Amino acid sequence: MTEIRPRGRGAAVLRQTVTDTIVAAAVAELAETGYAGMSMGAVARRAGTGKAALYRRWPSKEAMVVDLIDVFASRQVPAGGAGDLSGDVRAYVRAVADTLSDPVVMRIVLDLTAEAARNPGLSEAFDTAIRQPRRTACERFLRSAVERGQLPADLDLDLALDLLVGLTQWRVLNTGQNVDDSYVEATSKLIIQALPLCLGAGDRRGVRG
Amino acid sequence: MTEIRPRGRGAAVLRQTVTDTIVAAAVAELAETGYAGMSMGAVARRAGTGKAALYRRWPSKEAMVVDLIDVFASRQVPAGGAGDLSGDVRAYVRAVADTLSDPVVMRIVLDLTAEAARNPGLSEAFDTAIRQPRRTACERFLRSAVERGQLPADLDLDLALDLLVGLTQWRVLNTGQNVDDSYVEATSKLIIQALPLCLGAGDRRGVRG
DNA sequence: ACGAGACGGAACGGTTGCGTCCCGACTTCA
DNA sequence: TGAAGTCGGGACGCAACCGTTCCGTCTCGT
């Protein structure tokens, strides 16, 4: 986050507060109107501040949203890999379902996914802050399960990751259905049973996801 | 599509052509800039026409895009259900992969998915023209597989549909990876093997997907 | 006590968008 | 042949947005 070190008005307390207020307003505005539709004036209005306060912190709308992405990056996937594949999968599915079922998060993720196909800066920020860490975390506990023999040695990692990540996010992001405990349980169970089926040549290489 | 019955300039030939040119331009513009960023002036410019020609056909930008959705609806899922579950799945995965790997289609689908969370009109059009027919088609060949005993009688249909639709679309829409024959083959095989695992209480009700 | 600096608020110029209207050119149907 | 109706093109009024620049106020550090 761009640092502002005010000497003026209520520095000790407000140094965080003003920036945080703007960030919160920007997140809400982003969820409501989308990246393309979001206006800096509306963010300022919602934050109860002037536009100048925004441009004192970020040079542009894009830079601001890139910073916002890091805010979401903090809500991350549990570590896992401690010895229980079944538990790791369940924890992952639950974490993703909990995070993404928040309508604000859901809308922003959908919107930035679409926008990233158009905007290289956002795409890179989204990849490095969200997608790669998430994929890396899954990769780690899958690999450790292979090492323990809980999954076959010739596991097709790409396919397994598609199954794990894709199936988990699909319903939350693309259907209007409720995501409750029974859904988490059923999906986790299916993934756990299907993971050992992810075999194959498995030499497809990928970057993102 | 809103009908225009010109008596003027090259009616016989151009009656289709002008409308089609506008539609093509709108599709291209929609893919490049997204719904929120798309301007009617840019569509007209790209089509080599005046804005009046657009507003003679549609009352607004939203109405125009709603009509565009029907254009995509024509590219639909194969029927299936003829007796070979494995073949149905393979055909479905291939059809979806082929359609969505076109960057224009991919961007529009991503964009409208995000926009639909905000715009009720687009959401409804997208649902009825794309999601429901697709889901219904899958449902049909899954049900017929159950009737033939190729899938268990207590199949959790929602879960099976998540597996089929979600897994197929995930990589195409959300990763930068190539989607080639080996991917289609591996994904199809996984789905076919995992479908019988979709059991459960299965009383989660849903609308879309 | 005083200067520094961030604050909310308002206005600016320039650009872009939507949706409407009008124009002269053109082609078809009756 | 003439009326009808679409055509591309351009201009319009109105609104919104971006990013900048002021203003007067307020609170700090020194």
Side-chain angles (χ1 to χ4, degrees):
Chain A
M1 203 69 54
T2 308
E3 283 208 53
I4 294 285
R5 335 193 94 275
R7 291 225 235 148
R9 185 194 284 208
V13 178
L14 293 178
R15 176 180 308 160
Q16 301 292 343
T17 302
V18 173
T19 297
D20 287 355
T21 303
I22 293 174
V23 168
V27 167
E29 205 69 25
L30 187 58
E32 283 181 18
T33 67
Y35 176 78
M38 186 184 75
S39 94
M40 297 298 262
V43 173
R45 214 160 21 236
R46 185 170 204 141
T49 173
K51 284 203 288 181
L54 275 64
Y55 285 100
R56 234 173 265 130
R57 292 171 168 75
W58 301 279
S60 69
K61 174 170 143 180
E62 176 178 333
M64 177 172 162
V65 173
V66 165
D67 260 13
L68 290 192
I69 293 177
D70 290 335
V71 173
F72 285 94
S74 59
R75 324 187 184 179
Q76 268 304 319
V77 172
D84 178 16
L85 174 64
S86 164
D88 286 347
V89 170
R90 230 171 287 264
Y92 172 77
V93 174
R94 181 171 301 280
V96 170
D98 283 352
T99 303
L100 290 185
S101 59
D102 175 355
V104 170
V105 176
M106 187 187 96
R107 288 183 180 207
I108 292 182
V109 168
L110 283 174
D111 193 81
L112 291 183
T113 301
E115 194 64 32
R118 242 171 270 129
N119 186 320
L122 287 185
S123 174
E124 188 187 329
F126 199 60
D127 265 17
T128 63
I130 310 262
R131 283 180 158 146
Q132 281 177 6
R134 185 232 289 148
R135 188 156 190 124
T136 302
C138 292
E139 210 172 308
R140 202 178 56 247
F141 74 67
L142 285 181
R143 281 191 200 281
S144 81
V146 170
E147 287 168 13
R148 288 191 309 267
Q150 294 184 348
L151 287 176
D154 60 339
L155 183 78
D156 182 340
L157 197 58
D158 283 339
L159 193 56
L161 284 167
D162 281 354
L163 176 68
L164 186 57
V165 181
L167 190 54
T168 304
Q169 304 211 2
W170 176 254
R171 182 180 306 203
V172 190
L173 289 182
N174 286 278
T175 80
Q177 298 182 53
N178 286 339
V179 174
D180 53 12
D181 284 352
S182 89
Y183 160 72
V184 171
E185 185 54 33
T187 302
S188 303
K189 197 184 293 183
L190 173 61
I191 291 176
I192 294 164
Q193 289 181 324
L195 272 177
L197 304 175
C198 296
L199 312 175
D203 51 344
R204 291 176 302 284
R205 290 291 79 189
V207 181
R208 313 184 297 186
Chain B
M1 202 71 53
T2 308
E3 283 207 56
I4 293 286
R5 335 194 92 277
R7 289 224 237 152
R9 183 192 284 205
V13 178
L14 293 178
R15 176 179 309 160
Q16 301 292 340
T17 301
V18 173
T19 297
D20 288 355
T21 303
I22 293 175
V23 167
V27 167
E29 205 70 24
L30 188 56
E32 283 181 17
T33 66
Y35 177 78
M38 185 184 76
S39 93
M40 298 298 262
V43 172
R45 217 172 306 134
R46 184 169 205 143
T49 174
K51 283 202 291 179
L54 275 64
Y55 284 99
R56 235 173 263 129
R57 291 169 170 74
W58 300 278
S60 69
K61 174 169 146 182
E62 177 178 332
M64 176 173 165
V65 173
V66 166
D67 260 12
L68 291 191
I69 293 177
D70 289 336
V71 173
F72 285 95
S74 59
R75 324 186 186 178
Q76 267 305 316
V77 172
D84 178 16
L85 173 64
S86 164
D88 286 347
V89 169
R90 230 172 288 265
Y92 171 77
V93 173
R94 180 170 303 279
V96 171
D98 283 353
T99 303
L100 289 186
S101 61
D102 175 355
V104 170
V105 177
M106 186 186 96
R107 287 183 180 208
I108 292 182
V109 168
L110 283 175
D111 194 80
L112 291 184
T113 302
E115 195 64 30
R118 241 171 271 129
N119 187 321
L122 288 185
S123 174
E124 188 187 329
F126 199 61
D127 263 17
T128 63
I130 310 259
R131 283 180 159 147
Q132 281 177 6
R134 186 232 290 148
R135 189 154 190 126
T136 302
C138 292
E139 209 172 308
R140 201 176 59 246
F141 74 67
L142 284 181
R143 281 190 200 280
S144 81
V146 170
E147 286 169 11
R148 290 192 307 270
Q150 294 183 348
L151 286 176
D154 60 339
L155 183 79
D156 182 339
L157 196 58
D158 283 340
L159 193 56
L161 284 167
D162 281 353
L163 176 68
L164 186 56
V165 181
L167 190 53
T168 304
Q169 304 212 4
W170 176 255
R171 184 179 306 204
V172 190
L173 288 183
N174 286 278
T175 79
Q177 299 181 53
N178 286 338
V179 174
D180 53 12
D181 283 351
S182 89
Y183 160 73
V184 170
E185 186 52 35
T187 302
S188 302
K189 196 184 294 183
L190 173 61
I191 292 176
I192 293 164
Q193 291 182 324
L195 272 178
L197 304 175
C198 297
L199 313 175
D203 51 344
R204 291 176 300 285
R205 289 293 82 188
V207 181
R208 311 183 297 185

